C-alpha cells in the first residue's frame, strides 16, 4: 500500500519513536531536518517510494545520520586565561 506524502512522514516519525525510543519532539525534529535537506524529495515525486518497508529503512537512515549534519566542534581556545 502506498501512503500519501504526509502519511509517509508521519510513519517515519512514528517508527523513530518506537524503534529508537525518541520523544515525539525529537523524532519530528529529525524528520523535519531531513526534509529540509531534501531527503524526501523523491518520495514526494514518486509515490511507489512511500511504502512501509521504505519507511523503516528511512527511519533507520535518518536516525543514523541525525548528528552527522551538525558535528560538534568545541571552540578553539588560545590558552590565555580570561580576565
Amino acid at each position: 500500500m502506498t501512503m500519501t506524502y504526509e502519511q509517509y512522514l508521519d510513519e517515519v516519525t512514528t517508527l523513530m519513536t518506537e524503534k529508537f525510543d525518541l520523544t515525539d519532539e525529537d523524532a519530528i525534529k529529525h524528520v523535519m531536518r531531513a526534509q529540509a535537506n531534501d531527503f524526501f524529495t523523491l518520495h514526494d515525486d514518486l509515490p511507489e517510494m512511500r511504502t512501509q518497508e521504505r519507511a523503516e529503512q528511512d527511519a533507520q537512515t535518518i536516525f543514523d545520520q541525525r548528528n552527522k549534519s551538525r558535528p560538534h566542534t568545541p571552540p578553539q581556545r588560545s590558552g590565555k586565561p580570561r580576565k
Side-chain angles (χ1 to χ4, degrees):
M1 181 182 113
T2 303
M3 298 174 235
T4 67
Y5 183 69
E6 292 77 16
Q7 288 171 325
Y8 187 80
L9 295 181
D10 287 345
E11 182 61 22
V12 172
T13 303
T14 299
L15 286 167
M16 291 183 74
T17 63
E18 292 173 354
K19 292 176 75 170
F20 309 116
D21 200 29
L22 294 176
T23 65
D24 288 343
E25 184 177 299
D26 283 341
I28 290 166
K29 177 180 70 174
H30 294 307
V31 170
M32 289 179 68
R33 187 176 294 155
Q35 185 180 21
N37 289 327
D38 296 328
F39 183 84
F40 295 109
T41 300
L42 287 177
H43 301 69
D44 195 19
D45 296 338
L46 303 170
E48 62 270 17
M49 291 182 72
R50 300 189 301 256
T51 64
Q52 183 66 35
E53 181 180 347
R54 184 62 184 248
E56 292 177 24
Q57 293 169 358
D58 287 344
Q60 182 70 54
T61 299
I62 292 167
F63 182 76
D64 291 345
Q65 295 179 346
R66 70 194 183 285
N67 294 320
K68 292 183 182 178
S69 63
R70 294 179 180 222
H72 175 69
T73 305
Q76 296 294 321
R77 296 186 181 205
S78 64
K80 297 178 187 175
R82 293 188 196 186
K83 294 184 180 178

